[in-house]
Amino acid sequence: MKKITKFLLSMILVLSFGKVFAEEITLTYSEWTTDYPSNIPEVFIQSEDRYHFYKIVDGQVEYDNGYYTELDGYIKDEASARTYYRYITNPYLIFNANNEMVLNTSYCQKSFCYSVKNGIPIMINTLSKFENEYGDDDRPVVDQEIVPFTGDNVMYYIGLLSISVIGLGAIFMVRRNKNKQLNRA
């Protein structure tokens, strides 16, 4: 009985040390905002550009007031680009030797991994770098004018070229007539 107890105890010890306590890492994110999260490593920060969208209805341009990455049935206004940021709120991230994020800790038992610790973000307001919102008063009114035709130097060159060609043709004809007269005599 003593041998069986020792054998079972040793099996329990061996199996308990051989177990892999792998845990899946779930990333949690903050909300999207225009404020830039400073004081944390860049690997924790994600960004995306969002735009105003518009569509033309009965010859009138109708803007949607929100900022989106895509909006069905609307056209993107590239000039209204605004960058939105969010950051990973996990206390640390694990990376492998190729600087790729690892989401399962069992990978790190056989391969080299390192962790990057997250700091406390300081949110920096970036709205001052954007122009004011679009409004009917702010939109420029462009009066299109037809550019008057002006005499350009090209016109003078074409005129001189045509006069030169006519003059050379006349000289050639006069010489040809003189040669014919000399040959007859």
Side-chain angles (χ1 to χ4, degrees), residues 61-77:
V61 176
E62 289 184 8
Y63 269 91
D64 188 296
N65 290 331
Y67 282 93
Y68 306 100
T69 53
E70 292 181 16
L71 192 59
D72 290 336
Y74 285 81
I75 303 167
K76 183 190 313 182
D77 184 7

PDB file of all heavy atoms in Angstrom, residues 61-77:
ATOM      1  N   VAL A  61     -26.025  69.754 -53.021  1.00  0.00           N
ATOM      2  CA  VAL A  61     -25.104  68.915 -52.263  1.00  0.00           C
ATOM      3  C   VAL A  61     -25.602  68.817 -50.829  1.00  0.00           C
ATOM      4  O   VAL A  61     -25.809  69.827 -50.174  1.00  0.00           O
ATOM      5  CB  VAL A  61     -23.675  69.514 -52.288  1.00  0.00           C
ATOM      6  CG1 VAL A  61     -22.742  68.698 -51.418  1.00  0.00           C
ATOM      7  CG2 VAL A  61     -23.158  69.601 -53.708  1.00  0.00           C
ATOM      8  N   GLU A  62     -25.801  67.583 -50.358  1.00  0.00           N
ATOM      9  CA  GLU A  62     -26.243  67.353 -48.985  1.00  0.00           C
ATOM     10  C   GLU A  62     -25.129  66.651 -48.223  1.00  0.00           C
ATOM     11  O   GLU A  62     -24.733  65.546 -48.571  1.00  0.00           O
ATOM     12  CB  GLU A  62     -27.509  66.486 -48.958  1.00  0.00           C
ATOM     13  CG  GLU A  62     -28.735  67.184 -49.437  1.00  0.00           C
ATOM     14  CD  GLU A  62     -29.972  66.311 -49.299  1.00  0.00           C
ATOM     15  OE1 GLU A  62     -29.884  65.233 -48.700  1.00  0.00           O
ATOM     16  OE2 GLU A  62     -31.021  66.733 -49.803  1.00  0.00           O
ATOM     17  N   TYR A  63     -24.615  67.308 -47.181  1.00  0.00           N
ATOM     18  CA  TYR A  63     -23.549  66.747 -46.356  1.00  0.00           C
ATOM     19  C   TYR A  63     -24.144  65.976 -45.188  1.00  0.00           C
ATOM     20  O   TYR A  63     -25.156  66.355 -44.618  1.00  0.00           O
ATOM     21  CB  TYR A  63     -22.656  67.860 -45.794  1.00  0.00           C
ATOM     22  CG  TYR A  63     -21.477  68.178 -46.675  1.00  0.00           C
ATOM     23  CD1 TYR A  63     -21.558  69.150 -47.649  1.00  0.00           C
ATOM     24  CD2 TYR A  63     -20.283  67.497 -46.520  1.00  0.00           C
ATOM     25  CE1 TYR A  63     -20.482  69.447 -48.459  1.00  0.00           C
ATOM     26  CE2 TYR A  63     -19.194  67.787 -47.325  1.00  0.00           C
ATOM     27  CZ  TYR A  63     -19.300  68.752 -48.284  1.00  0.00           C
ATOM     28  OH  TYR A  63     -18.237  69.031 -49.081  1.00  0.00           O
ATOM     29  N   ASP A  64     -23.488  64.892 -44.820  1.00  0.00           N
ATOM     30  CA  ASP A  64     -23.813  64.172 -43.595  1.00  0.00           C
ATOM     31  C   ASP A  64     -22.865  64.737 -42.530  1.00  0.00           C
ATOM     32  O   ASP A  64     -21.671  64.862 -42.764  1.00  0.00           O
ATOM     33  CB  ASP A  64     -23.577  62.673 -43.780  1.00  0.00           C
ATOM     34  CG  ASP A  64     -24.091  61.886 -42.612  1.00  0.00           C
ATOM     35  OD1 ASP A  64     -23.546  62.081 -41.516  1.00  0.00           O
ATOM     36  OD2 ASP A  64     -25.032  61.098 -42.779  1.00  0.00           O
ATOM     37  N   ASN A  65     -23.368  65.091 -41.365  1.00  0.00           N
ATOM     38  CA  ASN A  65     -22.555  65.775 -40.362  1.00  0.00           C
ATOM     39  C   ASN A  65     -21.584  64.874 -39.625  1.00  0.00           C
ATOM     40  O   ASN A  65     -20.678  65.352 -38.968  1.00  0.00           O
ATOM     41  CB  ASN A  65     -23.460  66.480 -39.343  1.00  0.00           C
ATOM     42  CG  ASN A  65     -24.161  67.658 -39.962  1.00  0.00           C
ATOM     43  OD1 ASN A  65     -23.643  68.273 -40.888  1.00  0.00           O
ATOM     44  ND2 ASN A  65     -25.353  67.968 -39.480  1.00  0.00           N
ATOM     45  N   GLY A  66     -21.726  63.561 -39.705  1.00  0.00           N
ATOM     46  CA  GLY A  66     -20.852  62.652 -38.979  1.00  0.00           C
ATOM     47  C   GLY A  66     -19.567  62.358 -39.738  1.00  0.00           C
ATOM     48  O   GLY A  66     -19.414  62.688 -40.909  1.00  0.00           O
ATOM     49  N   TYR A  67     -18.629  61.746 -39.036  1.00  0.00           N
ATOM     50  CA  TYR A  67     -17.381  61.294 -39.636  1.00  0.00           C
ATOM     51  C   TYR A  67     -17.416  59.774 -39.706  1.00  0.00           C
ATOM     52  O   TYR A  67     -17.669  59.108 -38.704  1.00  0.00           O
ATOM     53  CB  TYR A  67     -16.181  61.741 -38.791  1.00  0.00           C
ATOM     54  CG  TYR A  67     -15.829  63.190 -38.991  1.00  0.00           C
ATOM     55  CD1 TYR A  67     -16.341  64.165 -38.159  1.00  0.00           C
ATOM     56  CD2 TYR A  67     -14.975  63.580 -40.009  1.00  0.00           C
ATOM     57  CE1 TYR A  67     -16.024  65.500 -38.345  1.00  0.00           C
ATOM     58  CE2 TYR A  67     -14.651  64.905 -40.205  1.00  0.00           C
ATOM     59  CZ  TYR A  67     -15.173  65.857 -39.361  1.00  0.00           C
ATOM     60  OH  TYR A  67     -14.849  67.169 -39.551  1.00  0.00           O
ATOM     61  N   TYR A  68     -17.165  59.226 -40.905  1.00  0.00           N
ATOM     62  CA  TYR A  68     -17.239  57.794 -41.110  1.00  0.00           C
ATOM     63  C   TYR A  68     -16.062  57.347 -41.969  1.00  0.00           C
ATOM     64  O   TYR A  68     -15.459  58.142 -42.683  1.00  0.00           O
ATOM     65  CB  TYR A  68     -18.541  57.409 -41.837  1.00  0.00           C
ATOM     66  CG  TYR A  68     -19.784  57.924 -41.178  1.00  0.00           C
ATOM     67  CD1 TYR A  68     -20.435  59.063 -41.659  1.00  0.00           C
ATOM     68  CD2 TYR A  68     -20.321  57.294 -40.070  1.00  0.00           C
ATOM     69  CE1 TYR A  68     -21.571  59.549 -41.051  1.00  0.00           C
ATOM     70  CE2 TYR A  68     -21.461  57.772 -39.454  1.00  0.00           C
ATOM     71  CZ  TYR A  68     -22.084  58.898 -39.952  1.00  0.00           C
ATOM     72  OH  TYR A  68     -23.207  59.373 -39.345  1.00  0.00           O
ATOM     73  N   THR A  69     -15.770  56.042 -41.924  1.00  0.00           N
ATOM     74  CA  THR A  69     -14.766  55.490 -42.833  1.00  0.00           C
ATOM     75  C   THR A  69     -15.406  55.174 -44.178  1.00  0.00           C
ATOM     76  O   THR A  69     -14.776  55.356 -45.215  1.00  0.00           O
ATOM     77  CB  THR A  69     -14.122  54.224 -42.253  1.00  0.00           C
ATOM     78  OG1 THR A  69     -15.143  53.304 -41.893  1.00  0.00           O
ATOM     79  CG2 THR A  69     -13.289  54.560 -41.039  1.00  0.00           C
ATOM     80  N   GLU A  70     -16.658  54.694 -44.162  1.00  0.00           N
ATOM     81  CA  GLU A  70     -17.416  54.428 -45.381  1.00  0.00           C
ATOM     82  C   GLU A  70     -18.887  54.689 -45.098  1.00  0.00           C
ATOM     83  O   GLU A  70     -19.353  54.508 -43.981  1.00  0.00           O
ATOM     84  CB  GLU A  70     -17.253  52.977 -45.817  1.00  0.00           C
ATOM     85  CG  GLU A  70     -15.879  52.621 -46.295  1.00  0.00           C
ATOM     86  CD  GLU A  70     -15.790  51.176 -46.742  1.00  0.00           C
ATOM     87  OE1 GLU A  70     -16.845  50.552 -46.957  1.00  0.00           O
ATOM     88  OE2 GLU A  70     -14.669  50.683 -46.875  1.00  0.00           O
ATOM     89  N   LEU A  71     -19.608  55.109 -46.125  1.00  0.00           N
ATOM     90  CA  LEU A  71     -21.039  55.351 -45.991  1.00  0.00           C
ATOM     91  C   LEU A  71     -21.680  55.051 -47.343  1.00  0.00           C
ATOM     92  O   LEU A  71     -21.346  55.684 -48.347  1.00  0.00           O
ATOM     93  CB  LEU A  71     -21.303  56.796 -45.561  1.00  0.00           C
ATOM     94  CG  LEU A  71     -22.713  57.139 -45.111  1.00  0.00           C
ATOM     95  CD1 LEU A  71     -23.143  56.281 -43.929  1.00  0.00           C
ATOM     96  CD2 LEU A  71     -22.797  58.603 -44.713  1.00  0.00           C
ATOM     97  N   ASP A  72     -22.565  54.073 -47.363  1.00  0.00           N
ATOM     98  CA  ASP A  72     -23.177  53.636 -48.621  1.00  0.00           C
ATOM     99  C   ASP A  72     -24.033  54.734 -49.237  1.00  0.00           C
ATOM    100  O   ASP A  72     -24.788  55.412 -48.546  1.00  0.00           O
ATOM    101  CB  ASP A  72     -24.044  52.394 -48.389  1.00  0.00           C
ATOM    102  CG  ASP A  72     -23.212  51.166 -48.072  1.00  0.00           C
ATOM    103  OD1 ASP A  72     -22.034  51.148 -48.473  1.00  0.00           O
ATOM    104  OD2 ASP A  72     -23.739  50.245 -47.421  1.00  0.00           O
ATOM    105  N   GLY A  73     -23.906  54.906 -50.555  1.00  0.00           N
ATOM    106  CA  GLY A  73     -24.708  55.873 -51.293  1.00  0.00           C
ATOM    107  C   GLY A  73     -24.163  57.294 -51.222  1.00  0.00           C
ATOM    108  O   GLY A  73     -24.764  58.202 -51.766  1.00  0.00           O
ATOM    109  N   TYR A  74     -23.048  57.503 -50.548  1.00  0.00           N
ATOM    110  CA  TYR A  74     -22.473  58.835 -50.394  1.00  0.00           C
ATOM    111  C   TYR A  74     -21.085  58.872 -51.023  1.00  0.00           C
ATOM    112  O   TYR A  74     -20.452  57.849 -51.232  1.00  0.00           O
ATOM    113  CB  TYR A  74     -22.364  59.212 -48.918  1.00  0.00           C
ATOM    114  CG  TYR A  74     -23.679  59.590 -48.277  1.00  0.00           C
ATOM    115  CD1 TYR A  74     -24.572  58.618 -47.837  1.00  0.00           C
ATOM    116  CD2 TYR A  74     -24.021  60.912 -48.096  1.00  0.00           C
ATOM    117  CE1 TYR A  74     -25.774  58.948 -47.251  1.00  0.00           C
ATOM    118  CE2 TYR A  74     -25.225  61.262 -47.505  1.00  0.00           C
ATOM    119  CZ  TYR A  74     -26.088  60.282 -47.079  1.00  0.00           C
ATOM    120  OH  TYR A  74     -27.272  60.635 -46.500  1.00  0.00           O
ATOM    121  N   ILE A  75     -20.608  60.074 -51.278  1.00  0.00           N
ATOM    122  CA  ILE A  75     -19.279  60.304 -51.842  1.00  0.00           C
ATOM    123  C   ILE A  75     -18.391  60.874 -50.750  1.00  0.00           C
ATOM    124  O   ILE A  75     -18.797  61.771 -50.010  1.00  0.00           O
ATOM    125  CB  ILE A  75     -19.362  61.278 -53.034  1.00  0.00           C
ATOM    126  CG1 ILE A  75     -20.315  60.729 -54.093  1.00  0.00           C
ATOM    127  CG2 ILE A  75     -17.983  61.526 -53.629  1.00  0.00           C
ATOM    128  CD1 ILE A  75     -20.695  61.738 -55.152  1.00  0.00           C
ATOM    129  N   LYS A  76     -17.152  60.362 -50.661  1.00  0.00           N
ATOM    130  CA  LYS A  76     -16.214  60.789 -49.625  1.00  0.00           C
ATOM    131  C   LYS A  76     -15.634  62.160 -49.963  1.00  0.00           C
ATOM    132  O   LYS A  76     -15.217  62.407 -51.085  1.00  0.00           O
ATOM    133  CB  LYS A  76     -15.075  59.785 -49.513  1.00  0.00           C
ATOM    134  CG  LYS A  76     -14.089  60.088 -48.414  1.00  0.00           C
ATOM    135  CD  LYS A  76     -12.830  59.245 -48.440  1.00  0.00           C
ATOM    136  CE  LYS A  76     -13.053  57.800 -48.611  1.00  0.00           C
ATOM    137  NZ  LYS A  76     -11.817  57.010 -48.577  1.00  0.00           N
ATOM    138  N   ASP A  77     -15.605  63.049 -48.974  1.00  0.00           N
ATOM    139  CA  ASP A  77     -14.979  64.359 -49.126  1.00  0.00           C
ATOM    140  C   ASP A  77     -13.564  64.251 -48.563  1.00  0.00           C
ATOM    141  O   ASP A  77     -13.360  64.288 -47.360  1.00  0.00           O
ATOM    142  CB  ASP A  77     -15.782  65.424 -48.374  1.00  0.00           C
ATOM    143  CG  ASP A  77     -15.221  66.813 -48.573  1.00  0.00           C
ATOM    144  OD1 ASP A  77     -14.299  66.981 -49.395  1.00  0.00           O
ATOM    145  OD2 ASP A  77     -15.697  67.743 -47.898  1.00  0.00           O
TER     146      ASP A  77
END
